Amino acid sequence: MSVDKAFREMVRNEIEAQLKPLRDLVSRLEAGTADLDRLRTVAEQLAPLAGAVGPLFGVAAGSRGAAAAPVRRGPGRPARAASAPAPVSGGKKRGRKPAAEGGSRECAIRGCGKPSRTKGYCAAHYQKLRMLEKTNRRPTNWVDYAESNSVEDIKLPRGRAAAKALAEAKNAG
Ligand SMILES: [Zn+2]
């Protein structure tokens, strides 16, 4: 019995010691000298400890200072988990179709020769395709996943002619 009591006392003192930084922080917070982020960090570190050990000795988590457990967490869950970096997974590659059979293919635009990157077009020609589409001028033969070297490039008008072409395309759409 007395051993049990001594053990409880010891653990309680240990918890007390662990919670002291938090308590100090709370009083500094009340005095307006600490920032909330730091409080949150300390509280997150201490909450699992108090939550896991407290119930074993009849101490409800938070009863010894309500600020001790503002973050609810399952008992026994390691505090480390919260700060662990997100797993780096080999996730999806963005917007790319896997290379066709037999490795890389060339841009759909005739004579371009650059490797195709998106929907059969090289980076530059895909940009151009998007721009033409946006301005309602996409040529019908500029199809997605067109054959390599199969599509005739178009020369865009410049200067005043460009403005005129844009306006015409807009009216047409
Ligand atoms: Zn190209």
Side-chain angles (χ1 to χ4, degrees), residues 107 109 112 114 122 125:
C107 179
I109 299 300
C112 172
K114 294 198 191 82
C122 73
H125 279 119

Side-chain angles (χ1 to χ4, degrees), residues 10-25 42-43 45-50 53 64 68:
M10 190 187 79
V11 172
R12 228 166 252 185
N13 288 341
E14 184 59 30
I15 294 173
E16 201 66 26
Q18 297 274 1
L19 289 179
K20 192 168 180 302
L22 180 64
R23 240 165 256 210
D24 293 347
L25 197 62
V42 175
Q45 285 165 356
L46 295 176
L49 175 87
V53 181
R64 295 177 73 86

Side-chain angles (χ1 to χ4, degrees), residues 84-89:
V88 182
S89 65

Side-chain angles (χ1 to χ4, degrees), residues 90-138:
K92 279 188 190 171
K93 291 192 180 100
R94 304 174 287 142
R96 280 187 208 175
K97 211 187 180 194
E101 64 287 337
S104 63
R105 44 168 290 169
E106 288 184 355
C107 179
I109 299 300
R110 200 172 294 156
C112 172
K114 294 198 191 82
S116 76
R117 289 187 51 176
T118 312
K119 295 186 176 180
Y121 295 80
C122 73
H125 279 119
Y126 186 66
Q127 286 280 331
K128 190 170 181 178
L129 186 156
R130 291 285 301 268
M131 183 274 290
L132 289 167
E133 195 170 40
K134 229 192 260 182
T135 55
N136 202 27
R137 292 182 292 172
R138 181 173 175 172

Side-chain angles (χ1 to χ4, degrees), residues 33-52:
T33 54
D35 60 298
L36 274 171
D37 281 344
R38 177 140 164 71
L39 172 67
R40 200 172 299 126
T41 308
V42 175
E44 278 176 6
Q45 285 165 356
L46 295 176
L49 175 87

